[in-house]
Amino acid sequence: MLEIAEFISPTPSPVWRLAQQAGVTLAVGGLPPEDLLEGEAPWDYAPLQRLKQRYEAGGFKLVVIEARPPLNKAKRGLPGRDAEIETVCRLLTNMGRLGIPVWCYEWMTDFNWVRTNLATPSRGGSVVTSFNAADVRADLTDQPPIDEEALWTHLDYFLKKVLPVAEKAGVKISMHPDDPPLSPIRGVGRIMRSIDNYQRLIELVPSPMNTITLCQGNFTLMTDDLPADIRKFGKKISFVHFRDVRGTPSAFEETWHDAGKTDMLACMKAYRDIGFDGVLRPDHVPTVEGDSNDNAGYSAFGRLYAIGYIRGLHQAVYAS
């Protein structure tokens, strides 16, 4: 059954208490921070065990790790990629030993999510992040161009190395879409940007562990019928980011959860209908009065509104 989680940073913060006050006890976490390493690597067993214990001591169950070892050489097919892939294999093996069932990763080379404005005015004086392709900085990357087929080739190599380890560990690897789902950006191809490409992903190396992070903010820019595509992918969805936007892949802004282009109630019904058995977390919330925009999209108070909105949808749909 669908359950609500929240991204809880590995270092305790006010969000730890706020999430619990909002009724959330499932954590989507990062890799162990420096104070938990004791000379080891973040993907080693002992630091991951300490991380899990830290969350448990704070009242949370760690159910997803949404952070990655360095992977740019693997994505670009550069010398040293096998060493990077080995760190992923170690991470997955140790997650399996600790009973952490989902690893969220992505295939965006050189840079991750891109925004061109971190304080776009929104409802009632709140601010949100936004993107306009015409405003992307020229210095976003200093790497040479790479085309989409090269990225597919390197992803195929990666999956063939990693999925047997994931299967043995019992850990689902869950591909997050490109953000924005636009290609190329400053000469860098992006492949996880369309419904057809996600179908290609799950067929590329078939495995029950080869799954999808359904980040609604990106997927709703790929389709005119997101609930239908949730039903299309069904059991291949292992993790959900519940958020919304308005606009197009080349020019959009984040929205409040109740003010975007997507029928969020219909999406919740679609998760129920496919028997989604995993966690859903809010993502990219507005920054509101009295809160800081230092970590744009992840301010504390905006998350409370998102959790409450999602909890209301969840109760309405699953009670019917």
Side-chain angles (χ1 to χ4, degrees):
M1 181 174 175
L2 183 153
E3 295 184 277
I4 301 170
E6 179 56 282
F7 182 81
I8 307 296
S9 67
T11 301
S13 72
V15 172
W16 285 46
R17 184 65 62 85
L18 289 170
Q20 291 204 328
Q21 290 173 350
V24 174
T25 58
L26 299 177
V28 176
L31 290 172
E34 188 68 33
D35 66 306
L36 293 180
L37 295 186
E38 299 184 9
E40 301 134 313
W43 34 88
D44 286 342
Y45 178 80
L48 287 165
Q49 183 182 47
R50 293 183 204 111
L51 177 68
K52 182 183 178 186
Q53 290 169 343
R54 173 178 283 181
Y55 282 121
E56 289 170 349
F60 293 99
K61 180 181 179 182
L62 179 59
V63 290
V64 178
I65 289 183
E66 191 173 343
R68 278 111 1 224
L71 275 177
N72 215 53
K73 292 175 183 175
K75 293 171 184 175
R76 281 186 165 267
L78 299 173
R81 68 174 173 177
D82 286 331
E84 289 188 342
I85 292 171
E86 176 56 30
T87 64
V88 172
C89 292
R90 284 164 59 191
L91 174 63
L92 296 173
T93 297
N94 291 324
M95 286 177 63
R97 292 175 64 190
L98 291 165
I100 306 167
V102 176
W103 176 58
C104 175
Y105 74 116
E106 39 72 24
W107 211 248
M108 293 178 272
T109 185
D110 302 343
F111 46 85
N112 201 302
W113 66 298
V114 181
R115 295 293 184 271
T116 53
N117 190 330
L118 299 180
T120 298
S122 189
R123 187 166 71 194
S126 60
V127 295
V128 297
T129 71
S130 63
F131 174 83
N132 191 313
D135 297 331
V136 174
R137 299 189 330 267
D139 63 350
L140 184 62
T141 178
D142 59 2
Q143 297 300 303
I146 184 168
D147 65 35
E148 293 185 25
E149 283 310 308
L151 291 170
W152 280 112
T153 297
H154 305 324
L155 177 58
D156 178 75
Y157 183 90
F158 173 82
L159 292 175
K160 286 175 177 172
K161 294 277 190 179
V162 165
L163 280 168
V165 178
E167 290 170 2
K168 185 175 180 180
V171 175
K172 294 179 178 178
I173 69 170
S174 188
M175 176 70 88
H176 187 285
D178 298 333
D179 187 0
L182 182 70
S183 181
I185 298 177
R186 289 296 177 190
V188 176
R190 316 267 274 188
I191 56 174
M192 301 319 307
R193 58 176 181 79
S194 70
I195 300 300
D196 287 346
N197 282 11
Y198 261 88
Q199 187 64 37
R200 181 174 174 178
L201 165 73
I202 60 180
E203 294 173 357
L204 190 62
V205 183
S207 168
M209 299 296 119
N210 182 12
T211 67
I212 296 169
T213 291
L214 201 295
C215 181
Q216 291 193 181
N218 300 126
F219 270 85
T220 202
L221 293 172
M222 304 177 192
T223 177
D224 292 326
D225 192 345
L226 183 55
D229 285 303
I230 292 169
R231 292 184 173 90
K232 167 188 170 72
F233 289 117
K235 297 294 186 182
K236 298 304 290 185
I237 301 169
S238 58
F239 180 36
V240 176
H241 285 180
F242 204 75
R243 65 182 177 94
D244 208 358
V245 300
R246 66 167 66 95
T248 66
S250 60
F252 65 87
E253 66 181 56
E254 305 275 2
T255 68
W256 288 76
H257 278 70
D258 61 0
K261 63 186 291 186
T262 307
D263 187 334
M264 302 295 253
L265 177 61
C267 289
M268 187 66 76
K269 289 178 179 178
Y271 294 123
R272 178 199 61 192
D273 293 347
I274 65 173
F276 174 67
D277 185 22
V279 299
L280 171 156
R281 76 164 178 87
D283 197 19
H284 295 196
V285 298
T287 299
V288 302
E289 183 72 19
D291 207 353
S292 167
N293 200 41
D294 289 347
N295 190 14
Y298 289 92
S299 65
F301 299 161
R303 298 199 209 186
L304 294 178
Y305 183 92
I307 291 169
Y309 178 78
I310 293 167
R311 186 176 296 284
L313 289 180
H314 181 260
Q315 290 183 351
V317 168
Y318 281 82
S320 62

